[in-house]
Amino acid sequence: MNNRNREKNTGDDTLFGSEKQISKLKLAVQDMQYLLTRGYAEKATSELVGNRYRLKTRQIQALRGAAASDIQIRGRKLKQLNISDLKDQTIYLDGFNVLILLESLLSEAYIFEGLDGCFRDLSGVHGTYKRVNQTQKAIELVSVFFQKSYAQKLVWIFDQPVSNSGRIKQIILDFAADHNLNWEVELQFSPDKILAETSGIIISSDAWILDHCKEWLNLIAYLIEEEKLFVNLIQTYNE
């Protein structure tokens, strides 16, 4: 194990560390929600709003993750389950999405709460997954949730073309064997499509998956509250 963390980038404190920047991001999210609700395309909208507020690339990335149309927000909320709904169920977990988000959270990188109540980060796989110091703790947190949920089985789904996907699969399977957990790990070429089309309950914060899946659980929100996790949180809207 090396000394890697999935911490915030150099410059993130400048982009997100002041009330002025957070207020600007909130206004941008509000404008993008307005335009998305009226049918404007996401990419064009984020560019338009980004230009208006002179946002940098990572601020636009946060904007895209946080904003959604009114219809999207309502649709996601209607399909959202509670942990009490998971008893004896099979759960399908978006592997890299959840794992990297938890690693970022535990590394105290900036985490953004979007209009749909989901938490998202600014990290990505970029073709290669690299294990970090927080990987083990992230897997342990999923284990704590799984046992408290009384779910029957948890299926982790990873993107097969990503380098080291086979390695993280074995790490998770070894952990499950050591702790007597009914877990499976699948490597798939189109994990988003599989998660979106399954009739089972899914765990992800990927917006496209949430818009197309049947039912989902907001795992990160549950863990933050239940396990009292510290979060370097930026709320992107005014309550």
Side-chain angles (χ1 to χ4, degrees), residues 194-226:
I194 288 168
L195 288 161
E197 293 179 354
T198 181
S199 59
I201 300 163
I202 69 104
I203 293 175
S204 179
S205 62
D206 183 283
W208 186 84
I209 293 174
L210 297 183
D211 286 337
H212 291 85
C213 71
K214 182 183 176 184
E215 296 174 317
W216 69 285
L217 178 93
N218 192 337
L219 173 63
I220 307 303
Y222 168 81
L223 288 174
I224 289 171
E225 182 176 353
E226 181 71 14

Side-chain angles (χ1 to χ4, degrees), residues 87-103:
K87 186 177 180 182
D88 299 327
Q89 300 296 314
T90 297
I91 309 166
Y92 297 86
L93 186 144
D94 189 354
F96 285 127
N97 177 275
V98 172
L99 191 57
I100 291 173
L101 178 51
L102 281 174
E103 291 169 349

Side-chain angles (χ1 to χ4, degrees), residues 31-49 63-64 67-69 72:
D31 283 6
M32 187 161 173
Q33 177 188 8
Y34 178 89
L35 293 170
L36 290 174
T37 298
R38 281 149 185 81
Y40 286 78
E42 180 185 350
K43 188 174 187 296
T45 301
S46 64
E47 290 174 355
L48 179 65
V49 174
L63 168 67
R64 286 176 176 166
S69 70
Q72 287 175 310

Side-chain angles (χ1 to χ4, degrees), residues 34-121:
Y34 178 89
L35 293 170
L36 290 174
T37 298
R38 281 149 185 81
Y40 286 78
E42 180 185 350
K43 188 174 187 296
T45 301
S46 64
E47 290 174 355
L48 179 65
V49 174
N51 288 335
R52 179 185 181 190
Y53 290 99
R54 298 182 180 177
L55 301 181
K56 304 298 185 186
T57 300
R58 285 175 71 78
Q59 290 174 314
I60 293 174
Q61 187 181 346
L63 168 67
R64 286 176 176 166
S69 70
D70 292 352
I71 291 174
Q72 287 175 310
I73 295 166
R74 283 197 300 270
R76 294 172 196 176
K77 293 290 185 183
L78 284 171
K79 297 186 288 187
Q80 185 175 347
L81 302 179
N82 297 313
I83 190 169
S84 57
D85 299 315
L86 305 187
K87 186 177 180 182
D88 299 327
Q89 300 296 314
T90 297
I91 309 166
Y92 297 86
L93 186 144
D94 189 354
F96 285 127
N97 177 275
V98 172
L99 191 57
I100 291 173
L101 178 51
L102 281 174
E103 291 169 349
S104 296
L105 186 155
L106 294 168
S107 300
E108 299 185 13
Y110 285 109
I111 302 297
F112 302 85
E113 183 178 2
L115 295 172
D116 57 3
C118 276
F119 297 83
R120 298 179 176 92
D121 65 334

